[in-house]
Every structure is written in C-alpha cells, then in structure tokens.
Amino acid sequence: MTTGEDGRTGVRGTGEDEPEAPARRRRPRKARTQRPWWQELPILVVVALVMALGIKTFFVQAFSIPSGSMQDTLQVGDRVLVDKLTPWFGATPQRGEVVVFRDPGRWLGDQPPPAGGNVLTKALAFVGLAPSSDEQDLIKRVIAVGGDTVECERGKPVTVNGKALDEPYIYPGATPCDDIPVGKVTVPEDHLWVMGDHRNASQDSRAHVDEPGGGFVPLDDVVGRAFVVAWPVPRWSTLPVPATFDRS
C-alpha cells in the first residue's frame, strides 16, 4: 500500500517480478456408485406407500355405494371419490352436497360389514385406491345445516327455511316425504340433516328422529364430500350441488 502526495492511499499493483501463488491441487472426485435396481425398488415401494397413505388420510379416498338409497344419482357398486382435504381448512358441508359420514348412532343397526375381497383388493383399499371391505360409513345428501328449519310433510315438497325444494334428483316415482313424514325440525348447530335421493328406500335422518341424536349428523362424523363418480367408467360424472339449494 502507498501514500500519495495528496494523502490518499492506494494498492500497489503486482509486478512481473513477484512470484505467482502456487496452483491449488484439486482432489479427483470419486465416481458415484449407481445402486442396482433391485436395491432401489424397495425404497421406491416404501415411498409410494407412504404417499398413498398420506393421500388416503388427508386428501382423497375411494368409497363404494352399498345400497340403492341414493338412486338414481348413485347406483349400487359405484365408486365415488371423497374430498377429505377441505375440512382441514375449515370448510363445512353445505346444503345439496353428497357426503360420506360415520354411523352417528347405530343407523346401520347390527348390519354386518360386506364380505372381504381378495388380496389385491385389500391391498388397494389399505392405501385408499379401492373401497375398504369393512367400511361402515353412510352416504346421503345434505338437505339442511345447523340453524336451518326443515319441514317434511306427506304430499308436500321438502322445505328449508320456508322455501320449497325443487328436487329433480329424486328417484323416479319416489315422493319427497310421503313414506316417512316428520313434520318440522330445526337442525342444531354443528349438525346436518341428511336424506337419500331414493326417499322410499332410504333410512336417513327422518327414520331416526325418535332416537338419541334426533336423526342429526354431527359435523365431527363427516368423512368428506363425494365429488365424482370414478367407477365404472361409463358412469363417470361429477356431483355438483343442485341449483335449488341456491334459494334455501
């Protein structure tokens, strides 16, 4: 470093006669050893299983339709995909949605679970890619939510908060409430009132009003919303909310 006449400092350049710094020796890199495929395969299988279980637990799960209570919207044997993610973000079931829920109070009685399938079916069910053979969940349409008043009288349409529902999704020939009229009920907060689309063949909220729980489904028992019919392929369709519920 030098000091000029004006008092400023500077850095002296390197002269040609100064020795150069010795070059740094680089160590040769070791070649990466590629594992044989048979060693990689178990790792990939474990990762795939963990991801599939995570999807089943937190995102989407397949369910099988066990009865005709939701005809013609859903047929026996249809496979639906159920959204389990949105409840994690605070979303709650809305009127008109088709939901899967755990039995809120022996609605299924002593009905045994369906017979188990083969090894492949059980394996797919374990990771959520096929319905479980021992699942005892139910599937119905949400008609009313907490705070709503529902009227279900013989010879009349179902009303929610005084507004009649136009229900084109009801099974042809079935009546809105004729087979199990219940009069007027008010849904408690954090509960749902659910009904099957095949009203004359559905043991839904109406059939349990005189039992503990009053036929209402607690939100905590809801597994998720069915949003698409995924199987069989010719039956593929989405499950949108009917327009009539926009007026409820």
Side-chain angles (χ1 to χ4, degrees):
M1 182 177 294
T2 61
T3 303
E5 294 179 356
D6 57 358
R8 291 181 297 178
T9 58
V11 179
R12 176 181 295 173
T14 302
E16 294 182 358
D17 56 340
E18 293 184 6
E20 296 182 357
R24 181 179 295 179
R25 294 180 180 178
R26 295 183 179 179
R27 295 181 180 179
R29 294 182 178 179
K30 293 182 179 180
R32 184 178 178 181
T33 304
Q34 182 68 35
R35 294 181 181 178
W37 69 268
W38 52 269
Q39 290 184 355
E40 297 280 359
L41 183 60
I43 298 175
L44 294 175
V45 171
V46 171
V47 171
L49 286 174
V50 170
M51 292 180 64
L53 287 172
I55 291 172
K56 173 184 176 181
T57 303
F58 301 108
F59 297 97
V60 176
Q61 186 173 355
F63 285 85
S64 178
I65 305 304
S67 72
S69 68
M70 281 296 293
Q71 291 175 320
D72 265 348
T73 304
L74 301 173
Q75 302 292 342
V76 177
D78 281 354
R79 267 60 170 178
V80 298
L81 297 183
V82 175
D83 168 24
K84 303 172 72 174
L85 175 64
T86 50
W88 287 88
F89 294 93
T92 57
Q94 301 298 308
R95 305 182 194 96
E97 293 182 347
V98 176
V99 296
V100 171
F101 56 96
R102 292 179 288 273
D103 189 337
R106 295 186 59 79
W107 284 23
L108 294 172
D110 296 323
Q111 177 180 328
N118 55 36
V119 175
L120 177 60
T121 301
K122 291 180 178 179
L124 292 174
F126 178 72
V127 296
L129 299 180
S132 173
S133 61
D134 59 353
E135 63 189 33
Q136 288 285 75
D137 297 322
L138 299 95
I139 184 165
K140 306 290 181 189
R141 189 180 298 278
V142 177
I143 300 298
V145 298
D148 288 342
T149 298
V150 182
E151 288 189 73
C152 191
E153 302 280 2
R154 183 176 280 109
K156 298 180 180 181
V158 177
T159 66
V160 178
N161 300 326
K163 298 178 181 179
L165 297 180
D166 176 22
E167 301 185 284
Y169 48 80
I170 289 181
Y171 185 77
T175 55
C177 270
D178 284 11
D179 58 318
I180 314 178
V182 295
K184 182 184 292 187
V185 295
T186 299
V187 185
E189 292 297 331
D190 298 324
H191 287 72
L192 305 173
W193 178 269
V194 299
M195 299 170 72
D197 288 357
H198 192 170
R199 297 288 161 78
N200 296 23
S202 177
Q203 296 295 303
D204 45 44
S205 289
R206 300 167 299 157
H208 303 280
V209 291
D210 295 326
E211 300 173 7
F216 305 110
V217 178
L219 291 182
D220 290 342
D221 287 339
V222 175
V223 176
R225 174 195 176 186
F227 64 95
V228 67
V229 180
W231 188 264
V233 173
R235 290 274 303 150
W236 189 94
S237 61
T238 58
L239 297 171
V241 174
T244 187
F245 290 95
D246 294 338
R247 305 191 302 268
S248 302

